[in-house]
Amino acid sequence: MKGLLIKDLKLMKNQKSFFMVMAVVGLIFLITWDAPYFAISYITMMFSMFAITSFSYDEFDNGAVYLFTLPFSRKTYVREKYLFGLLTCLIALTVSTVLAIGASVIKGQSVDLVTIGATGLSSITICVLFLSIAFPIEIKFGVEKGRIGFIVIMAVFFLGFYLVMKLTQDGELMGVLNLIRKVEQLSGAVIVLGLGIFWCVAGLTSMKISICFLERKEW
Amino acid sequence: MLKLEHVKKQYKDFHLDCSLTVKPGMITGLIGANGAGKSTTFKAVLGLIRTESGMVELFGKRPEEITPEDKERLGVVLADSGFSGYLSIRDLIPVLKAMYHQFDQTYFEEQCRRFELPMTKKIKEFSTGMKRKLQVLAAISHHADLLILDEPTAGLDVLARDEMLTMLREYMEIEGRAILISSHISSDLEDFCDDIYMIDHGQVILHEETDTLLNEYGLLKVDGKQYERLDKTYVLRSRKETFGYSCLTNEKQFYQENYPDIVVEKGSIDELIMMMVRGDRS
C-alpha cells in the first residue's frame, strides 16, 4: 500500500501546472468574492479528482499489466485508490479552509465557522459521491471507456435528481423543501453523524464493487 | 519452482495448451514466433489472466494462493508493458523500496549508472532499450528467486545485450535461483539457457536441454534419391527444398555413421524452429 501511495504522489507531480492553475483560480475566488465558501468547495473537488486521473497514469502505455506483477494484491490496489482519494480530498479541504479563514481575517470580515463547516461537509459529500461512482467505472471499463460511462452515469444521476426534485417539490412527505426544513431542525452532531454514515456506506459499497470488478479483470 | 500442466486458455482465434517446468538452478527458455503463445503463458504464470483448466504452480502454490510476499520472490520483465512512463528512476526508487523488503538501492543505482540510465528523465522519454534495461535492473535488484523475463533483450544493441546476459548469469550464481526467459533472438537462448521449450500456436512442440539440441539435433540435406532410401525413424520434420529435402533429426550421429554420403549440418536454433514449425511431420 505504501509503495502504491508513493507512486500516486510522485505521479501527482506531473499535474503540478494544473494544480497551480487551480490554486491560482481558487485564490482569485478567495480574494475577489466576499464569501469564501465557493473557493473551498472548488479547490477540494478539483484536487480530489486527481485520484481518478491516477488511473490514466497507471494505464499509460499498457503499464497496468506490469503494475499488477508487483507485490501487492488487487484488493490492496483498490483500497489504496480510495485512501488516496480520501487523502487528497481531506488535504485540499484543510488547506482551502485555512486559506479561506486567513483571507477572511485579512479582509477584516467575520468568520462564519458554521457555514464553513457546512461547506466542508457538503464538499466531502460530493467528493465521496463522485469518487464512489467514478472508481468502479474506471476499474471496470478502463480509462477511455470509463470516461464515457462516467459521463452517462452522472447525466442519469443528475437527471434523476432533477426529476425527483421537480416531481416532489410540492409533496408534503417527500418535498425537497420539506426535507431541507427537517434537516435544518436537526442538531449539528446528528447531521455530521448522518453524513459520516452516508460516506462510509457509499465508500465501502463502491470499494466492494471495485474489488469485485478488479478481481475479475484480465490483461 | 514453476510448473504448468496443460494450462488452457481460449481466445477467439487462439488456443493455449501449455505444460512446462522451471527447476531451481535452471535457466529455461521459451521460444516461438510472434503470436505463438509466449506472452499468454507468462500472463498465466503471473495470474494476469484466468485459465480455463490445467494447473499453474508457482513456489508450490496455485495462483489464487500467491501472496504479495510470494510476489516479492519474483522479478518480472514484460515485452509490452513497464513502469508508468510519467515516473523517473528517481521517483521509482522509493516506490520499489516500499514494495520490496529486500530492495538493494545501492546495487540498483550502481547498475543504473553503469547502463547510463538517466535518473531524472521521465521513463516515457527512454528508448526501448533503456526501458528494457531498467526493467531488468528492477527485476534483479530485490533478490528474487525466480525471474520471468519476456523478451528482456529486445531493443538492445549487441554490447548492451551481452552486458545484460552477463548480469543475468551473475544473478544465477546464487544457488536455487531460476529464470524463465523468452526471446526472439535465439542466439541469446542458445548460449544462455539450460533447456528450451518451443511453442507454436499455443502448443509446446519441443522441449529439450540446450546441449542436446545443439549436439544431437541436426539438419540432413538430401536429394530426392537419398531421401527415398533414408531411414526416417529419427527424422522429426522434413521440408521440400530446391535441392531436394531438408530433414530435422534428433539423432544426428546415427545419420553421420550410416549415411556418410549425405550432408549433416549442426543447425542453429533458428533453423530448428523453422523446421519444427514449417516442416512436415515424418
Side-chain angles (χ1 to χ4, degrees), chain A residues 7 67 84-85 90 96 119 135 145 160-161 174 201-202 216:
Chain A
K7 169 189 70 68
L67 185 66
F84 183 62
L90 291 179
S96 58
T119 307
F135 281 1
K145 286 185 201 163
F161 186 70
M174 287 183 63
V201 171
R216 287 183 192 166

Side-chain angles (χ1 to χ4, degrees), chain A residues 74-87:
Chain A
R74 296 185 183 202
K75 218 175 252 180
T76 304
Y77 177 82
V78 172
R79 285 178 181 156
E80 184 274 337
K81 285 291 177 205
Y82 281 80
L83 178 64
F84 183 62
L86 188 67
L87 283 176

Side-chain angles (χ1 to χ4, degrees), chain B residues 17-37:
Chain B
D17 181 354
C18 182
S19 300
L20 63 81
T21 307
V22 181
K23 291 177 185 156
M26 299 278 277
I27 302 176
T28 299
L30 187 61
I31 53 174
N34 289 338

Side-chain angles (χ1 to χ4, degrees), chain A residues 13-14 62 66 216 218, chain B residues 9 48 50 81 91 122:
Chain A
K13 283 196 309 187
N14 292 289
N62 204 27
Y66 180 72
R216 287 183 192 166
E218 293 187 54
Chain B
K9 179 73 185 169
L48 295 168
R50 276 192 309 278
S81 176
D91 293 333
K122 294 262 185 298

Side-chain angles (χ1 to χ4, degrees), chain A residues 108-123:
Chain A
Q109 292 168 340
S110 61
V111 179
D112 181 357
L113 287 176
V114 174
T115 314
I116 285 180
T119 307
L121 291 176
S122 57
S123 301

